[in-house]
Amino acid sequence: MPEGHTLYRLAREQSALFAGRPVHVTSPQGRFDAGAALLDGRVLDEVFSYGKHLFARFGSDHLHVHLGLYGAYLTGTGTPPPAKGALRMRWEAAGPDGLGVWTDLRGPTACEVLPEPEVAAILDRLGPDPLRPRADGGRALRRIAASRTAIGALLMDQSVLAGVGNVYRAEILFRHRVSPFRPGRAVDEALWAQLWADLVTLMKAGVRMGRIVTTRPEDRTRRSGAIRREDAHYVYRRTGLPCRICGTEVRTEVMVGRNLHWCPTCQAV
């Protein structure tokens, strides 16, 4: 599932290409026909993300998209390709350079038009997003410090913290040598301040790079040049491989329905 940095980049891209212009909205698949009819031909005001949610504002109506596990956008210029298969939604507009631009959405968990009160209700259910300006990390700590639930599960709870997914969950805990099984109430204010600050840094880097890289240069096999995929993470998807720091085999266990990766030595309970 795309994590918060991906949605932030999508919002920025779509705003640059479509905001301030009338957008031709269709649903070739047919499943979004009613919503497309409400938006078709209207001027897009802005696109913004919050956590793993994407919102496009057309006046008082908002298009809400949640990509889920299988949703994806494909964007291009000129004439769009013939619509095929399960194409939920297509946008077309005159681009900022005068050329036509288009974007296709396939396979989202949610694609719906909502009025402002319903958008506000979604946002109210979400925890702070590290990528949002002036986000209050202390709001997440208040939930974490009052819970006996493992921190590895709490970080995946979007009502506690918005935008963090499986990769950031595993990597942030390793970088601070925190066991994913530590109860939330055992995470003190000083530790959380370090985790939050690091999440802000890593997720902003993810926006700039278009990928998640969490390793420090000195911990990579190749310390200069382009960062290879196998050097990008400490523990995520490295099950059975030696820990980059201590050499212990990285382990995996299912937690809240997703594979959790950790080093049992560096992150001892």
Side-chain angles (χ1 to χ4, degrees):
M1 182 182 297
E3 304 197 26
H5 72 291
T6 298
L7 278 298
Y8 192 96
R9 282 175 62 91
L10 275 171
R12 188 170 63 181
E13 175 187 80
Q14 292 183 0
S15 285
L17 293 175
F18 295 96
R21 300 173 179 82
V23 181
H24 180 38
V25 184
T26 58
S27 179
Q29 178 193 50
R31 289 185 58 187
F32 184 59
D33 274 344
L38 283 173
L39 302 179
D40 186 32
R42 295 170 65 178
V43 173
L44 172 67
D45 296 307
E46 64 170 338
V47 183
F48 67 93
S49 68
Y50 196 106
K52 299 181 181 183
H53 298 259
L54 194 67
F55 298 92
R57 183 166 65 86
F58 293 81
S60 60
D61 290 322
H62 290 71
L63 171 69
H64 168 232
V65 172
H66 191 289
L67 294 177
L69 286 172
Y70 305 109
Y73 278 98
L74 179 64
T75 300
T77 59
T79 303
K84 295 180 180 179
L87 178 50
R88 184 75 57 87
M89 181 181 67
R90 170 172 281 177
W91 286 6
E92 298 175 71
D97 55 4
L99 296 175
V101 293
W102 55 270
T103 190
D104 287 350
L105 173 64
R106 296 179 184 273
T109 297
C111 177
E112 56 190 349
V113 178
L114 301 176
E116 290 184 2
E118 292 186 38
V119 173
I122 292 174
L123 296 177
D124 286 344
R125 293 196 297 267
L126 298 173
D129 177 348
L131 288 173
R132 300 293 297 178
R134 299 177 296 281
D136 180 12
R139 186 156 61 94
L141 176 61
R142 289 189 286 275
R143 290 281 304 276
I144 291 168
S147 178
R148 298 184 181 185
T149 301
I151 185 63
L154 291 168
L155 291 180
M156 295 285 281
D157 185 341
Q158 298 298 295
S159 69
V160 174
L161 192 64
V164 171
N166 209 20
V167 185
Y168 284 120
R169 183 252 306 255
E171 295 295 297
I172 198 71
L173 292 175
F174 179 85
R175 282 169 62 94
H176 294 269
R177 307 299 190 265
V178 177
S179 167
F181 306 101
R182 180 185 296 194
R185 64 181 184 176
V187 175
D188 61 26
E189 185 175 355
L191 174 57
W192 177 248
Q194 295 174 22
L195 290 167
W196 172 262
D198 205 16
L199 272 173
V200 171
T201 298
L202 290 176
M203 293 182 73
K204 286 183 176 179
V207 172
R208 290 194 305 272
M209 301 173 68
R211 59 187 293 214
I212 300 177
V213 175
T214 58
T215 51
R216 299 175 176 90
E218 61 270 23
D219 297 328
R220 298 171 192 150
T221 305
R222 188 168 66 189
R223 300 186 180 185
S224 61
I227 302 170
R228 299 176 299 178
R229 178 179 296 181
E230 58 265 33
D231 280 337
H233 306 134
Y234 283 104
V235 290
Y236 179 72
R237 287 191 173 177
R238 299 192 70 244
T239 306
L241 295 175
C243 171
R244 297 184 188 278
I245 303 303
C246 73
T248 303
E249 284 191 3
V250 173
R251 293 183 59 186
T252 299
E253 179 176 313
V254 175
M255 179 182 280
V256 291
R258 303 295 299 279
N259 286 329
L260 166 74
H261 305 82
W262 85 102
C263 170
T265 299
C266 290
Q267 297 172 267
V269 177

